[in-house]
Amino acid sequence: MNYTRFITAASAARKPSAIRVMTEILGKSSKSVLSLATGAPNPNTFPFKTAVITTDNGETIQFDEEMMKRALQYSQSAGLPELLSWLKQLQVKLHNPPTIHYPPSQGQMDMCVTCGSQEGLCKVFEMIVNPGDNILVNEPIYSGTIHAVQPLGCNMINISSDEHGIIPDSLREILSRWKPEDSKNPEKNTPKFLYTVPNGNNPAGNSLTTNRKKEIYELARKYDFLIIEDDPYYFMQFNKPWAPTFLSMDIDGRVIRADSFSKVLSSGLRIGFITGPKPLIERIVLHIQVSTMHPSTFAQLLVSQLLYQWGEEGFLAHVDRVIDFYRKQRDALLAAADKWLSGLAEWHVPTAGMFLWVKIKGLHDVRKLIEEKAFKKEAFQGLAQLIKESL
């Protein structure tokens, strides 16, 4: 992989922050080392001294005074070392990325913790996209991504999807505008990346099949573009075994994967993590150094303490409980749709996530129907009546 063409001039110009580098060094130093270099406030002046957090099984996470001092202090930009270590083991267990043992220069798998996956994705987009660049997105696309990439001045090329996600033939047809060798010529402006939410896509609720992922990955290899695998609903797949990920197929080091704990641990803690080739993750961390500096130390320590308390088996057991909860929610929603919308709309049964994409028959644009009328009615029953009145 030649990563040069995927890094903007602004990203390439980023240099390590001297203060942040010193924080990294101090994080590995003995507690007896007293630093006058970084401007870290004295934790003895903080008003918070201890904390006890009780989990749903009755166990507790203790923050004594020493732990609290650490929790309220600056920390490493890439994430707390113990949390990163746990997450790397999880990624290997779940995805077994082929790049895990590659040399760093050849796309070795690396990771960083971010303030939710959205922050990480924004930094990925800003690392890659120049004004006028072409990027590929599945249709319909997550609205947060639209608002993140539009200001960057790129051209979003929509790839058609159905209930099984991106249609490879649609992607193949779009890519036929170029020749595979055009990726080596900057003037040809070949697509930089494909962005997709592969499981329980927001808002369509569809999920990519394994065979389609394999086809898409081969097209990425042929036309040399990256795959940004935004997978916040990975831990909300209703059927087992879970589908293999793009990361698990990545023999080149061309996949950047965004994971999130928002849906299974807490959305407010804002803990996500980005996995990808080391040369690109390093660029993201340099951006973090001069923006957010690091995710919340307290939130990272809380999540880390919980994960080490649970272990991988305990975490996945919790995930199973979350899946059971949302499966019941999905089934209740489907039952309501069957009762009130049969014959008026069509939908597919989601296999992951939190969304049911309903297409109203005979109405091209339902926004006015929803915004002006539906809120005054009661859920599906009222919506069904409104649809009948509008047809």
Side-chain angles (χ1 to χ4, degrees):
M1 289 289 295
N2 176 12
Y3 294 110
T4 305
R5 85 177 193 95
F6 300 114
I7 299 175
T8 63
S11 183
R14 296 191 186 281
K15 304 297 180 184
S17 162
I19 294 176
R20 293 273 81 209
V21 170
M22 184 58 66
T23 300
E24 306 280 336
I25 294 172
L26 290 172
K28 301 173 184 176
S29 302
S30 166
K31 290 183 179 180
S32 62
V33 174
L34 298 177
S35 171
L36 305 179
T38 62
N42 192 312
N44 291 323
T45 66
F46 299 158
F48 311 100
K49 296 306 176 186
T50 63
V52 178
I53 294 92
T54 305
T55 60
D56 57 2
N57 63 1
E59 295 186 0
T60 61
I61 296 172
Q62 305 276 345
F63 280 68
D64 60 20
E65 288 197 28
E66 284 305 307
M67 179 72 78
M68 186 63 84
K69 287 179 180 179
R70 185 186 178 205
L72 299 178
Q73 189 56 275
Y74 294 122
S75 58
Q76 296 90 332
S77 291
L80 293 182
E82 63 265 44
L83 179 56
L84 278 172
S85 176
W86 200 98
L87 293 175
K88 285 182 180 179
Q89 291 178 23
L90 181 70
Q91 295 298 65
V92 171
K93 176 183 178 67
L94 295 177
H95 312 289
N96 193 25
T99 56
I100 189 67
H101 297 302
Y102 282 22
S105 62
Q106 294 181 20
Q108 181 188 75
M109 187 200 95
D110 199 6
M111 296 181 68
C112 64
V113 183
T114 56
C115 299
S117 59
Q118 185 74 21
E119 185 220 3
L121 288 165
C122 284
K123 286 177 167 53
V124 169
F125 298 144
E126 292 183 29
M127 171 180 65
I128 300 173
V129 176
N130 286 305
D133 281 348
N134 290 316
I135 66 170
L136 307 164
V137 298
N138 59 249
E139 186 182 36
I141 182 177
Y142 170 51
S143 62
T145 298
I146 295 176
H147 299 306
V149 299
Q150 272 184 339
L152 302 178
C154 58
N155 306 311
M156 285 185 285
I157 303 173
N158 292 321
I159 310 300
S160 297
S161 300
D162 59 18
E163 64 178 300
H164 302 300
I166 291 172
I167 302 171
D169 284 344
S170 175
L171 177 58
R172 194 173 284 109
E173 182 180 354
I174 294 293
L175 291 170
S176 67
R177 302 174 188 176
W178 297 273
K179 298 176 182 177
E181 59 269 24
D182 287 346
S183 63
K184 296 180 174 62
N185 184 352
E187 295 182 1
K188 296 295 184 179
N189 200 16
T190 59
K192 287 277 192 74
F193 63 77
L194 167 68
Y195 168 86
T196 183
V197 180
N199 292 298
N201 175 43
N202 178 355
N206 54 18
S207 298
L208 267 170
T209 63
T210 301
N211 287 338
R212 288 193 180 187
K213 286 179 184 175
K214 290 178 180 178
E215 283 190 68
I216 291 166
Y217 187 81
E218 287 307 312
L219 288 170
R221 300 192 74 195
K222 183 177 180 180
Y223 290 90
D224 192 26
F225 57 83
L226 302 176
I227 296 175
I228 298 179
E229 183 176 33
D230 181 11
D231 210 355
Y233 309 105
Y234 176 78
F235 296 115
M236 295 172 66
Q237 296 180 70
F238 302 127
N239 303 322
K240 289 189 177 181
W242 291 343
T245 59
F246 282 114
L247 184 65
S248 72
M249 305 174 183
D250 187 21
I251 58 176
D252 294 336
R254 67 173 67 251
V255 173
I256 301 174
R257 177 178 172 81
D259 282 284
S260 175
F261 282 141
S262 289
K263 309 304 184 290
V264 293
L265 293 185
S266 162
S267 52
L269 286 176
R270 308 307 302 136
I271 298 296
F273 45 107
I274 303 291
T275 308
K278 190 175 184 64
L280 299 183
I281 296 296
E282 287 176 341
R283 296 285 109 194
I284 297 169
V285 173
L286 290 179
H287 194 169
I288 292 172
Q289 287 182 355
V290 294
S291 56
T292 54
M293 292 178 62
H294 60 81
S296 163
T297 312
F298 186 96
Q300 289 187 81
L301 267 176
L302 180 58
V303 169
S304 181
Q305 293 279 91
L306 179 66
L307 294 176
Y308 276 96
Q309 187 180 92
W310 276 350
E312 286 181 357
E313 288 187 8
F315 169 69
L316 294 175
H318 170 75
V319 166
D320 284 340
R321 292 191 291 273
V322 173
I323 290 171
D324 288 342
F325 177 90
Y326 283 106
R327 184 188 291 111
K328 292 173 183 175
Q329 297 285 90
R330 178 202 63 175
D331 292 346
L333 189 62
L334 289 170
D338 285 334
K339 180 176 180 179
W340 297 109
L341 299 182
S342 291
L344 299 173
E346 58 185 29
W347 57 88
H348 300 293
V349 176
T351 59
M354 305 169 68
F355 306 100
L356 179 67
W357 184 252
V358 177
K359 294 183 179 181
I360 308 300
K361 296 180 179 180
L363 289 181
H364 176 68
D365 187 349
V366 299
R367 183 170 182 172
K368 185 176 181 180
L369 176 71
I370 298 295
E371 290 185 349
E372 296 183 7
K373 298 180 179 180
F375 284 127
K376 300 176 183 178
K377 298 287 185 177
E378 294 182 0
F380 280 115
Q381 183 177 5
L383 181 58
Q385 183 61 36
L386 288 172
I387 294 169
K388 292 174 183 177
E389 294 171 359
S390 301
L391 293 175

